[in-house]
Amino acid sequence: DAVHYYITKVLNEVQLPFALSDFQLISLHILGSGRNLMLLSPTGSGKTIVIYLGILLLRKLFKIPEGVAIITEPLNMIMSEKLSSSIIPTGVISMTGELKTSLEEKDGVSLSAPEEMFVDGSLPCLFGHPESWLSDKGKQLIK
C-alpha cells in the first residue's frame, strides 16, 4: 500500500543506524493512514524519532513541500539531547544560558541554528519549552 511504500522511502532517505521497533513502525502506519496517535512510553524509548519520521512521511504522502513542526518539550535537558543527536536534524529554541550550542542569542533566548533555517523551513522540527515560546523571539518565530 501507499503508506508502506512511503515509510520505506523515508527510511531509505534517512538511513538510520538502527532498526525501528515494532511500536515505532506501527505508529508510522497509523500516522500515514491519517489517524491521530498518542504515544505513551518511557523517556529514551524512541518517541521523538516517530515524530520526526512521521513529519517526513506526512510531507511525502500529502505533498507538503516545506514547513516546520513546532514541538513543545517540558525540559531543556531533553531538547539538548535532540540537538546533540546526529540522527534528527532539529532546531531548538531555549532560554539564554541553558544550551551551550546556540549560534545566536537575542532577547534572552538562544537558537541552535541561524534564524533563517527556522523561517524558511530547512529544519523539519523546532523544539522549545513553554517559556521560550512566550518570549518575544519565540512569538516572532511562530509567526
Side-chain angles (χ1 to χ4, degrees), residues 11-138:
L11 291 175
N12 286 337
E13 289 175 9
V14 175
Q15 299 211 356
L16 298 173
F18 55 86
L20 293 180
S21 68
D22 288 344
F23 98 83
Q24 291 168 322
L25 287 170
I26 291 167
S27 297
L28 290 174
H29 278 277
I30 290 169
L31 289 172
S33 70
R35 293 181 286 161
N36 294 325
L37 175 69
M38 179 187 289
L39 293 174
L40 302 172
S41 63
T43 300
S45 62
K47 295 180 296 289
T48 301
I49 196 73
V50 171
I51 294 168
Y52 174 65
L53 294 174
I55 291 164
L56 298 180
L57 174 64
L58 293 174
R59 279 183 171 183
K60 289 195 180 302
L61 274 170
F62 298 106
K63 314 266 188 281
I64 302 169
E66 294 292 328
V68 178
I70 296 176
I71 302 161
T72 300
E73 293 275 4
L75 302 172
N76 274 343
M77 178 184 71
I78 295 171
M79 291 186 301
S80 297
E81 291 172 9
K82 311 289 189 261
L83 184 61
S84 66
S85 167
S86 60
I87 298 168
I88 303 174
T90 62
V92 176
I93 177 172
S94 174
M95 300 311 288
T96 300
E98 295 179 4
L99 284 177
K100 294 183 173 63
T101 54
S102 70
L103 299 176
E104 179 181 338
E105 188 172 313
K106 186 176 180 183
D107 300 328
V109 174
S110 61
L111 301 174
S112 63
E115 185 174 339
E116 298 78 37
M117 293 181 77
F118 299 118
V119 176
D120 71 10
S122 299
L123 294 171
C125 304
L126 178 56
F127 288 85
H129 58 81
E131 292 81 6
S132 64
W133 296 125
L134 295 174
S135 69
D136 290 340
K137 179 57 88 179

